[in-house]
Each structure stands twice: as C-alpha cells, then as structure tokens.
Amino acid sequence: MTTHEDERAALDGGRQPMLRRLVPVVALLFLAPWAAECSWGGFAGTDMLGVVVVLAPMYGGAAVLIREAARRTGGGWPMIVLLAAGFGVLQAGLVDQSLFNPDYLADTEFAELSAADRTRVPVLGISAQEAISFVGNHVALTICAPIAIVESYLSPARRLRPWLRVPGLVVVAVLYLLGSLLVFADDSGRKEFLASPGQLVGAAAVVLALVVLAALPRWRRRPPLADIAAPRPFRPGLLVFLVYLGVAMLSGWIGVVVSIVAVAALVGLLLRLSGRSGWGQGHVLASAAGALLGAAVLAYLVPPYSPASPTQALLSDVIVSLLALAMLGGGYARLRRHGSAPAHPG
C-alpha cells in the first residue's frame, strides 16, 4: 500500500470485519458511563448495571465521537482533552445543568457534605468548586481514562486508527443526542430547574471556544522527540493519582486556586514528558490508571448518591476496586503482548 492508501484505509476504519471493529466501540460505550458515575462510588453495586445501560448513549456516545474525531484528524491527546473539556461544559451547563443548579445535589447524600456555596460566583450563578469537580471528572473519568484503557487492549496497528465509518458515526451521534435528551427531560435529575438564557449562551460559547481550540492545526503537527528518555510509566501515573485525590479533597477558594494551579502544572508536565523518547501507550495507560485508581480510593471516602448501609456501601466500593484493577491489569497484559509504543509518533 502507498502512504495515501494507508491513510485512506485508516480513515474508513480499515478492511477489518465489522464485528472486530465494533468490539472496542461497544466497550467504550459501556466503560465511559461506569467510569463517570460508578468508579468513585456514586452508586451501589446493585444499581451499576442499570446506570451503565441508561447512560451509555450519552456518556459512551460522547467518548466514541471524541475519540473518532481525534484519531481521524490526527489531533491526538491534546485534541481529546480539549474536546473532553467541551463535553464537560456541555453536559454540566446545557444538558443536566448541574453547573448552575444550586439544588442539584440537594436530595443526595452529598447535600450536607457539599461546600459549594462557599465558592459560588453570583454573577455567573456557578460554584467554582463544583465547576472544577464536574468538568474535571468528565475530562478525566468520562472521556480520557476509558479511551486510554480500551485502546490499550488493541494492537499498535489498530490503537490509533478510526473504528467507525460514516454510517456508524451517524448512529453514535443519534444515540448521543437521544441519551442527552433523555437526561434533560428527566425532571427528577434537574428538579425542574432551567438555567437562564444568559447562562445557556455563556456555556455554549465556552463549548464552542474549546471545540475551535481543539480543531487548531497545531495539534496535528508532530514535533521531533526530545533526546531525553521518558520516565518509567508509574511516575506519571503516580502524579495523576496524587493530583486527582488532592483536588477531590480540597474545598473553599484556597482549594479552587490550588486545584487550578495543580491541574495546570500536571497537564504541562505530561505534555513535556510525552515529547520525550520512549513515551508510549504504557505511559498513557498509567496516567489513566492514576485517575481511575484515585476515583476508586475516593469511593471509600464519600457516600453514594442514595442512602446505603455501611455493609452495602463497603461491598460496592470493593466491587469498584476489583473492576478497576481487573480492567487495568488486563490492559497492561495486552500491552506486554502487543507492545506499548503507539502506531505513529504523538
């Protein structure tokens, strides 16, 4: 095959059988909602399956579409992170509107624990602490970690290639829209709250700005790898783990400032490390593991949405831990078999 033919084959999903191409799509569709709502202990073990099935079109659909956009255009992880942030604002600002609803957690076990009112910005009608938590978790858990895990199970030749052709993309887009409409129409979630026109326009403007930034050509230009060797994968993974837990435990305006500085420093450091020689999928999976394991530890420290007995809560948290370790362990086993390096630089 010529280079042009290789690129064309990659863009149309290759010549693989349909079932083989759809397996990672289905895996991502169901992993995204589990990571988003269950990995940090939000739901009891008996409720997880129902939560995953109901939310798969919205969370999973978004993860698949973002992953396909980045892999088709060559935008890589910078594009995935920016689009994930845009999805986080879209989800929290326009769909469930939790970003603006002061009573969003009022009927949950978090009502008495929340310190959101201490960081509320009256002009915008948002809590800075909740904005960091809601959007940050969508970036780390809903989108980035599931994509990194599923891609780690694939061979290097398939890892960075598109999975879907145009009809499949249309189906996933429709599923995402229907799933989002279902959540928006559920008054038990929004509690009949509707954001003001100004808030909706502001959130939409932020989403558009993040999408435009993600589409910049600069993300498709691959700088030469630095001569310095990349660190062992556990180091960036440990950094992500510590920052995730630290940000989750901070509160108040001091916590907001520290969280912004810590996350910005972490992102900048990961960008620099990813440009070093030897950076590969093992480092990507380790970074995802840092967020997912951080969420699993957090599950033991926070209550689920609904009241649960100590025994039931502990059992659910253990299930979360075992599932997280099993998925990550399987990903590392596949990398040892197929190799950690990406299919092409970046």
Side-chain angles (χ1 to χ4, degrees):
M1 265 190 174
T2 65
T3 302
H4 177 72
E5 289 171 335
D6 286 336
E7 293 176 352
R8 186 172 62 183
L11 288 176
D12 68 7
R15 300 181 180 278
Q16 301 162 359
M18 180 179 294
L19 181 60
R20 182 177 173 83
R21 288 187 289 109
L22 291 183
V23 167
V25 175
V26 175
L28 186 53
L29 279 171
F30 289 108
L31 179 55
W34 182 85
E37 296 291 354
C38 303
S39 66
W40 53 272
F43 290 91
T46 54
D47 298 328
M48 287 184 190
L49 181 58
V51 169
V52 167
V53 171
V54 171
L55 297 180
M58 181 179 64
Y59 286 145
V64 170
L65 292 174
I66 288 173
R67 189 263 174 198
E68 290 296 289
R71 296 315 182 203
R72 284 173 171 268
T73 61
W77 279 101
M79 186 176 187
I80 290 176
V81 171
L82 289 169
L83 290 178
F87 165 75
V89 176
L90 176 66
Q91 175 64 31
L94 301 177
V95 180
D96 63 35
Q97 301 187 8
S98 56
L99 196 61
F100 304 115
N101 188 351
D103 297 322
Y104 186 74
L105 299 175
D107 60 348
T108 70
E109 293 294 286
F110 292 92
E112 298 181 0
L113 300 177
S114 176
D117 288 339
R118 283 188 267 164
T119 61
R120 197 161 294 281
V121 184
V123 176
L124 301 178
I126 67 172
S127 164
Q129 181 177 324
E130 285 187 343
I132 292 173
S133 175
F134 293 165
V135 177
N137 274 315
H138 280 311
V139 173
L141 298 179
T142 307
I143 306 298
C144 292
I147 291 175
I149 291 171
V150 174
E151 287 187 341
S152 297
Y153 277 80
L154 304 178
S155 65
R158 299 178 61 206
R159 192 171 294 151
L160 303 184
R161 292 174 60 177
W163 297 335
L164 294 173
R165 299 171 184 170
V166 174
L169 292 173
V170 172
V171 171
V172 174
V174 171
L175 283 175
Y176 167 70
L177 292 174
L178 292 176
S180 299
L181 181 61
L182 176 65
V183 170
F184 176 79
D186 181 13
D187 284 337
S188 64
R190 288 188 299 106
K191 303 173 181 64
E192 301 184 358
F193 171 88
L194 284 176
S196 69
Q199 289 173 326
L200 296 176
V201 171
V206 172
V207 173
L208 180 61
L210 288 168
V211 171
V212 171
L213 183 60
L216 291 178
R218 64 174 298 178
W219 311 124
R220 295 187 284 278
R221 294 195 291 266
R222 309 296 179 188
L225 295 176
D227 293 334
I228 305 174
R232 297 182 63 181
F234 83 89
R235 293 184 179 179
L238 179 60
L239 283 175
V240 174
F241 176 81
L242 294 175
V243 170
Y244 182 91
L245 275 184
V247 169
M249 295 178 181
L250 293 172
S251 64
W253 279 110
I254 294 179
V256 168
V257 173
V258 172
S259 296
I260 292 174
V261 172
V263 171
L266 176 64
V267 171
L269 180 60
L270 290 178
L271 281 173
R272 292 191 61 181
L273 293 178
S274 66
R276 293 185 176 184
S277 176
W279 181 276
Q281 188 65 23
H283 297 82
V284 175
L285 181 59
S287 301
L292 195 61
L293 293 178
V297 171
L298 189 65
Y300 293 93
L301 306 177
V302 301
Y305 283 121
S306 301
S309 67
T311 301
Q312 185 181 26
L314 178 60
L315 180 60
S316 299
D317 297 340
V318 171
I319 291 174
V320 165
S321 299
L322 293 176
L323 288 175
L325 290 173
M327 284 186 290
L328 294 171
Y332 280 111
R334 294 286 291 183
L335 286 181
R336 288 174 64 88
R337 177 181 175 184
H338 291 299
S340 172
H344 57 75

